[in-house]
Amino acid sequence: MTPSLDPARRSDGALSETSVLLDPDERPAPAGRPDAARIQPDAPIGSVAIPQWHWDSNVSFYGPGFYGKRTACGYAMTTDLVGVAHRTLPCGTRVTFRNPVNGRTVTTIVVDRGPYVDGRSWDLTGALCLALDHCYTGPLAWKLSGR
């Protein structure tokens, strides 16, 4: 048995028995409002931004004097920590490095602040310098890979 609806409980916006429901695509646009087609303009034809490789000729590494301490981003500085130090990028920012000598490429995150040597933008952790085979001060290519 289906219970009948109580007419006293109808809301002000209830449909009457003569109401007709229309498909949203078939209803006319409300008066005084622009057509939906004119609200959203066509997207311009363009190109997608792709992260570009940058060249840094003075990338160094650090670690031995800092093992057993915490990084500025809260990580334990160990021989296994794969990361990079940068002065201004937010902690956790993903960066990809490529060693031009051997072609090794590693994506890592910012785990610390530094370097504190004029003219340098990046300090690799000991594990990252081993992964890239770049445990010296020299050139690397890098690009931002997101957050």
Side-chain angles (χ1 to χ4, degrees), residues 8-72:
R9 298 283 182 196
R10 293 186 112 180
S11 68
D12 289 336
L15 297 174
S16 70
E17 294 171 4
T18 59
S19 295
V20 177
L21 296 177
L22 297 176
D23 186 330
D25 295 332
E26 296 174 7
R27 5 178 263 240
R33 295 177 69 190
D35 289 343
R38 288 186 288 169
I39 293 173
Q40 181 66 40
D42 291 336
I45 297 173
S47 61
V48 175
I50 298 172
Q52 299 296 312
W53 286 100
H54 303 278
W55 181 258
D56 195 328
S57 60
N58 196 14
V59 178
S60 59
F61 78 101
Y62 76 114
F66 298 95
Y67 293 141
K69 298 179 181 172
R70 289 266 175 209
T71 68

Side-chain angles (χ1 to χ4, degrees), residues 28-147:
R33 295 177 69 190
D35 289 343
R38 288 186 288 169
I39 293 173
Q40 181 66 40
D42 291 336
I45 297 173
S47 61
V48 175
I50 298 172
Q52 299 296 312
W53 286 100
H54 303 278
W55 181 258
D56 195 328
S57 60
N58 196 14
V59 178
S60 59
F61 78 101
Y62 76 114
F66 298 95
Y67 293 141
K69 298 179 181 172
R70 289 266 175 209
T71 68
C73 298
Y75 294 89
M77 185 62 167
T78 65
T79 56
D80 298 328
L81 179 63
V82 177
V84 67
H86 192 271
R87 284 190 203 100
T88 58
L89 287 176
C91 294
T93 301
R94 294 171 51 90
V95 185
T96 301
F97 289 93
R98 183 174 60 207
N99 187 340
V101 174
N102 57 26
R104 289 186 186 181
T105 302
V106 177
T107 299
T108 187
I109 60 171
V110 173
V111 296
D112 205 359
R113 294 288 162 241
Y116 295 104
V117 174
D118 285 341
R120 289 191 192 154
S121 298
W122 304 100
D123 255 350
L124 312 177
T125 62
L128 181 58
C129 86
L130 290 173
L132 288 169
D133 194 21
H134 188 275
C135 296
Y136 53 90
T137 300
L140 279 181
W142 64 273
K143 67 178 178 179
L144 294 177
S145 301
R147 177 142 167 90

